[in-house]
């Protein structure tokens, strides 16, 4: 029993040793102080991470790890202190901030300082190993980085060359494996100290619903879109079998991963020339148009900026153009993976991207700027509300704009003289499906794998086996050669090596079509959904911005309803968008195996 010391002074009775119960006023002061401290330390961390990502050295990795450690340690400390106010009935905004504080981490360091330091060092080192990854083909003078290997995957039609590039890149992840095992153990320890079963449960708790309910919601959404994916998979498999032969592509099994035009077979648009419907050439090649106009890297970004400005958004600040990274430097290693940065949670927004003058990067620029304009929209919110309604919203915003990159939009900005007639629509739809529909199961399975790793359902000795089991289950994809537990193929994907949750991308693929359908209605589009562009429509921009300005201040169903009038995510918008293609695919697949 706690010993109490009682002092009597006049008529007052003082009890020492038992802390007085907390008050609402103390809770309000605590959260205000916490926001101020987190903002200051967060800006310092962002600057260190920017330097580390744009100038990879041992020193910048160490400095970034230290900055990360300070930021994470403070967040963990404040999250644990916040539990003192759990029993209080707080004002709604304060209660939400308390909750978000506890859920703001993707990586919770253990209380032990040495373990916390070890975890942040491992996290920085894994991302650094990925960023410095290169494949050195035997007998050739030059090593190849991911960008060069990705060009091979996108453009080569030689199965042996594709296999060599695939194997070469996946080999860079082997050194990450032992560090990943330790990272899982330490991350789970930190999550449990915050009251979560494991890191996966901590990630799933961020969606304004119980973690298990969120998992069920994902299953519901996947079942809504799975028939469309299965039809697309069957059609592509048959066309690849015609191209590469029965010895390379099976009639009714999973597709070999190296044949789909992308290092991870996550998007398939690069193989469009191999699977395009006859007579469906839209009559233009955006990559060639951009190159023929001598488009430079800044002009690529200006196209994206001008789209948002056409909706009524303010132009990007001068500091964006001064501080962003648009071109891969010749003199140093950088993380080229495209990302949008909000350095000071106010107006220092930046783009980090090694831009290529291609149609793919034209869309990527529009996507990444969606992050930056979202960041600026909610910069008047309190610090803990300066984020998207859920992380899927952040990814969906830019992709929603990219869905408006239609032939009609290209005509309006002068890149096309005339939009192709509707007889070419099946090709346009198929190309978009190879990007969007093909991605859905990949977007779903990355975190399915990690959640099972964090929970212990997948032990270290089965990391690779379980990875390929999930890829077969969801994607119908198989490795091109035998894989063993000496490999660590998950680590060849940036988000795994860099501790970035991935479910946001699956949700974004769902939400962007739901957003687009709503915005098309607001903009008064009367044609097919896939031909609608909201470019230049100020009312659509106003409604869009009303949702963006909410940030994280309200549960995501309310933010969704502000734009769409619906409070539940709904994948039927994807089916609506691709309805003509679904009918066409089913016709093409008649009499042929479907599924795997």
């Amino acid at each position: 029993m706690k010993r109490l010391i009682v002092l009597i002074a006049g008529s007052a009775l003082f009890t020492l040793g038992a802390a007085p119960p907390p008050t609402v006023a103390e809770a309000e002061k605590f959260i205000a102080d916490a926001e101020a401290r987190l903002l200051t330390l967060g800006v310092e961390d962002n600057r260190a991470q920017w330097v580390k990502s744009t100038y990879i050295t041992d020193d910048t990795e160490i400095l970034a790890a230290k900055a990360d450690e300070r930021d994470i340690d403070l967040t963990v400390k404040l999250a644990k202190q916040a539990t003192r106010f759990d029993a209080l009935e707080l004002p709604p905004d304060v209660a939400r901030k308390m909750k978000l504080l506890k859920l703001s981490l993707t990586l919770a360091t253990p209380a032990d300082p040495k373990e916390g330091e070890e975890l942040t060092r491992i996290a920085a080192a894994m991302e650094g190993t990925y960023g410095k990854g290169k494949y050195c083909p035997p007998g050739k003078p030059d090593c190849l980085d991911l960008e060069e290997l990705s060009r091979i995957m996108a453009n080569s039609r030689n199965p042996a060359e594709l296999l060599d590039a695939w194997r070469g890149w996946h080999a860079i992840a082997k050194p990450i494996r032992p560090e990943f095992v330790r990272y899982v153990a330490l991350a789970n320890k930190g999550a449990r100290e915050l009251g979560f079963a494991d890191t996966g449960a901590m990630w799933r708790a961020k969606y304004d619903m119980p973690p298990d309910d969120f998992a069920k919601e994902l299953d519901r959404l996947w079942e809504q879109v799975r028939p469309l994916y299965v039809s697309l998979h069957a059609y592509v498999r048959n066309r690849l079998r015609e191209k590469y032969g029965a010895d390379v592509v099976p009639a009714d099994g999973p597709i070999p991963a190296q044949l789909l035009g992308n290092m991870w077979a996550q998007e398939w648009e690069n193989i469009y020339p191999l699977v395009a419907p006859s007579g469906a050439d839209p009559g233009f090649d955006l990559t060639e148009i951009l190159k023929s106009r001598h488009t430079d890297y800044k002009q690529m970004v200006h196209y994206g900026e001008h789209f948002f400005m056409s909706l009524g958004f303010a132009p990007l600040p001068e500091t964006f153009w001064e501080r962003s990274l648009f071109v891969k430097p010749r003199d140093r290693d950088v993380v080229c993976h495209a990302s949008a940065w909000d350095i000071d949670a106010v107006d220092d927004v930046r783009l980090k991207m090694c831009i290529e003058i291609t149609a793919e990067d034209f869309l990527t620029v529009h996507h990444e700027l969606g992050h930056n304009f979202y960041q600026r929209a909610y910069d008047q919110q309190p610090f803990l509300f300066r984020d998207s309604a859920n992380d899927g919203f952040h990814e969906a915003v830019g992709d929603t704009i990219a869905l408006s990159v239609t032939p009609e939009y290209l005509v309006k900005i002068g890149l096309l003289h005339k939009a192709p007639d509707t007889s070419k629509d099946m090709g346009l739809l198929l190309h978009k499906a190879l990007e969007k529909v093909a991605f859905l199961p990949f977007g779903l399975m990355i975190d399915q794998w990690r959640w099972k790793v964090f929970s212990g359902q997948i032990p270290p000795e089965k990391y690779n086996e379980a990875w390929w089991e999930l890829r077969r289950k969801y994607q119908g994809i198989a490795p091109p050669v035998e894989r063993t537990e000496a490999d660590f193929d998950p680590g060849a994907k940036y988000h795994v090596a860099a501790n970035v949750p991935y479910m946001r991308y699956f949700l974004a693929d769902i939400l962007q079509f739901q957003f687009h359908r709503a915005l098309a209605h607001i903009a008064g589009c009367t044609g097919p959904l896939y031909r609608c562009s909201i470019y230049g429509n100020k009312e659509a921009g106003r409604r869009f911005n009303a949702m963006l300005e909410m940030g994280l201040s309200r549960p995501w169903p309310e933010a969704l309803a502000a734009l769409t009038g619906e409070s539940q995510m709904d994948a039927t918008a994807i089916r609506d968008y691709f309805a003509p293609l679904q009918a066409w695919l089913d016709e093409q697949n008649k009499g042929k195996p479907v599924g795997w």
Side-chain angles (χ1 to χ4, degrees):
M1 181 180 291
K2 183 177 292 186
R3 182 168 168 263
L4 301 182
I5 302 175
V6 181
L7 302 178
I8 299 177
S11 60
L13 180 68
F14 298 89
T15 303
L16 302 182
T23 65
V24 171
E26 287 175 332
E28 292 174 332
K29 183 178 186 305
F30 168 82
I31 205 68
D33 291 345
E35 287 189 290
R37 294 173 67 188
L38 287 169
L39 174 59
T40 298
L41 214 53
V43 172
E44 292 177 7
D45 187 28
N46 287 340
R47 296 192 189 285
Q49 301 304 325
W50 174 266
V51 174
K52 186 259 294 186
S53 292
T54 58
Y55 204 109
I56 302 174
T57 69
D58 291 341
D59 289 329
T60 59
E61 284 186 5
I62 291 169
L63 292 172
K66 287 292 185 183
D68 229 8
E69 183 182 350
R70 289 192 295 271
D71 190 38
I72 293 172
D73 285 351
L74 175 61
T75 307
V76 171
K77 178 182 177 182
L78 292 172
K80 291 177 180 177
Q81 291 175 355
T83 60
R84 178 171 174 247
F85 305 103
D86 283 352
L88 284 177
E89 186 171 340
L90 299 171
D93 63 327
V94 177
R96 183 162 180 80
K97 288 179 181 180
M98 291 288 187
K99 174 187 174 184
L100 294 174
L101 175 59
K102 298 170 190 174
L103 295 173
S104 60
L105 293 164
T106 58
L107 188 65
T109 51
D112 182 292
K114 289 184 178 179
E115 290 182 332
E117 181 180 1
E118 181 185 5
L119 178 55
T120 52
R121 179 197 60 76
I122 287 173
M126 289 194 302
E127 184 180 8
T129 298
Y130 183 97
K132 292 181 287 191
K134 289 182 175 66
Y135 168 50
C136 302
K140 294 187 178 181
D142 297 322
C143 295
L144 305 175
D145 62 20
L146 179 57
E147 284 65 47
E148 293 163 321
L149 292 167
S150 292
R151 282 194 286 273
I152 294 172
M153 299 296 291
N155 300 311
S156 175
R157 302 297 180 245
N158 181 324
E161 186 177 26
L162 290 169
L163 175 59
D164 185 60
W166 189 94
R167 293 176 74 168
W169 177 251
H170 281 74
I172 69 100
K174 289 183 180 181
I176 296 174
R177 184 184 180 111
E179 291 193 317
F180 189 85
V181 174
R182 181 64 175 156
Y183 144 86
V184 170
L186 292 173
N188 276 344
K189 184 173 183 181
R192 290 183 186 117
E193 289 174 2
L194 286 177
F196 299 99
D198 54 61
T199 299
M202 183 175 77
W203 289 2
R204 293 193 302 278
K206 300 181 180 186
Y207 293 95
D208 292 308
M209 60 177 66
D212 289 346
D213 289 356
F214 178 62
K216 292 174 184 174
E217 180 73 354
L218 298 174
D219 291 338
R220 180 185 66 82
L221 293 169
W222 171 239
E223 287 305 315
Q224 283 184 312
V225 295
R226 187 177 182 276
L228 176 58
Y229 177 79
V230 171
S231 294
L232 178 68
H233 179 281
Y235 172 77
V236 168
R237 179 178 57 199
N238 187 59
R239 295 303 299 269
L240 291 178
R241 184 176 169 87
E242 293 172 2
K243 167 67 178 177
Y244 293 112
D247 292 341
V248 178
V249 182
D252 57 1
I255 301 171
Q258 83 279 20
L259 301 179
L260 290 158
N262 173 274
M263 185 61 76
W264 308 278
Q266 69 180 63
E267 295 165 343
W268 305 349
E269 67 267 30
N270 288 321
I271 64 162
Y272 175 76
L274 300 181
V275 302
S278 59
D281 182 355
F284 70 92
D285 182 328
L286 181 54
T287 296
E288 290 305 313
I289 291 171
L290 292 168
K291 290 181 176 178
S292 69
R293 289 171 172 260
H294 305 291
T295 306
D296 65 24
Y297 306 101
K298 279 196 173 182
Q299 286 172 318
M300 291 277 280
V301 183
H302 275 300
Y303 279 123
E305 179 194 34
H306 289 157
F307 195 117
F308 284 91
M309 291 171 62
S310 83
L311 299 178
F313 291 85
L316 291 162
E318 279 302 311
T319 53
F320 171 87
W321 302 102
E322 296 164 358
R323 299 170 183 175
S324 292
L325 175 76
F326 299 139
V327 183
K328 183 179 182 181
R330 297 180 179 179
D331 61 343
R332 65 184 191 269
D333 289 320
V334 301
V335 177
C336 270
H337 182 86
S339 55
W341 294 61
D342 181 11
I343 299 295
D344 65 356
V346 183
D347 210 35
D348 186 357
V349 293
R350 307 178 190 180
L351 173 64
K352 178 186 65 62
M353 181 177 173
C354 303
I355 298 174
E356 302 280 348
I357 309 302
T358 64
E360 181 180 1
D361 277 10
F362 186 82
L363 290 171
T364 300
V365 165
H366 284 71
H367 167 89
E368 294 300 337
L369 291 188
H371 291 294
N372 288 140
F373 279 94
Y374 202 166
Q375 289 157 351
R376 297 184 81 200
Y378 57 60
D379 66 10
Q380 297 303 304
Q381 291 284 355
F383 174 73
L384 284 169
F385 293 160
R386 291 181 201 170
D387 207 341
S388 59
N390 69 39
D391 53 10
F393 276 64
H394 232 311
E395 297 299 331
V397 164
D399 276 345
T400 299
I401 297 302
L403 288 177
S404 277
V405 179
T406 63
E408 288 76 10
Y409 164 63
L410 298 178
V411 170
K412 288 180 180 179
I413 63 174
L415 289 178
L416 271 184
H417 295 299
K418 181 182 178 182
D421 63 55
T422 55
S423 67
K424 310 295 186 182
D425 284 354
M426 205 53 66
L428 291 170
L429 273 173
L430 178 61
H431 191 278
K432 184 66 71 175
L434 293 172
E435 176 196 357
K436 298 294 184 180
V437 178
F439 174 78
L440 285 163
F442 185 81
L444 186 64
M445 61 78 52
I446 295 281
D447 280 353
Q448 296 279 9
W449 179 81
R450 277 193 290 196
W451 294 346
K452 292 178 179 180
V453 166
F454 286 131
S455 72
Q457 187 176 343
I458 298 175
E461 62 271 19
K462 291 192 175 181
Y463 278 174
N464 230 44
E465 177 186 341
W467 172 260
W468 285 106
E469 284 177 355
L470 286 170
R471 295 201 68 180
R472 178 186 290 265
K473 173 183 176 181
Y474 286 105
Q475 285 185 282
I477 300 298
V481 291
E482 183 180 355
R483 309 304 283 168
T484 72
E485 292 305 324
D487 301 302
F488 186 53
D489 295 330
K493 179 63 180 168
Y494 170 79
H495 301 75
V496 174
N499 184 60
V500 178
Y502 208 75
M503 197 55 68
R504 65 186 67 177
Y505 301 104
F506 174 78
L507 296 178
D509 236 25
I510 303 295
L511 287 165
Q512 65 189 263
F513 288 94
Q514 196 170 357
F515 292 167
H516 181 68
R517 183 170 64 183
L519 288 166
H521 178 72
I522 293 166
C525 290
T526 57
L529 191 56
Y530 58 83
R531 280 278 191 150
C532 175
S533 177
I534 65 167
Y535 178 78
N537 190 284
K538 294 295 195 294
E539 177 58 19
R542 187 191 68 78
R543 286 283 298 273
F544 207 17
N545 190 56
M547 180 186 77
L548 304 185
E549 285 180 334
M550 294 172 68
L552 192 50
S553 63
R554 305 296 301 163
W556 66 260
E558 294 183 32
L560 179 63
L563 175 62
T564 68
E566 303 160 332
S567 59
Q568 186 179 50
M569 288 183 284
D570 183 6
T572 63
I574 300 179
R575 301 295 295 273
D576 289 349
Y577 187 98
F578 289 107
L581 179 68
Q582 173 88 66
W584 183 84
L585 289 171
D586 291 344
E587 184 65 28
Q588 304 303 306
N589 291 334
K590 277 187 177 178
K592 297 167 185 172
V594 175
W596 54 90

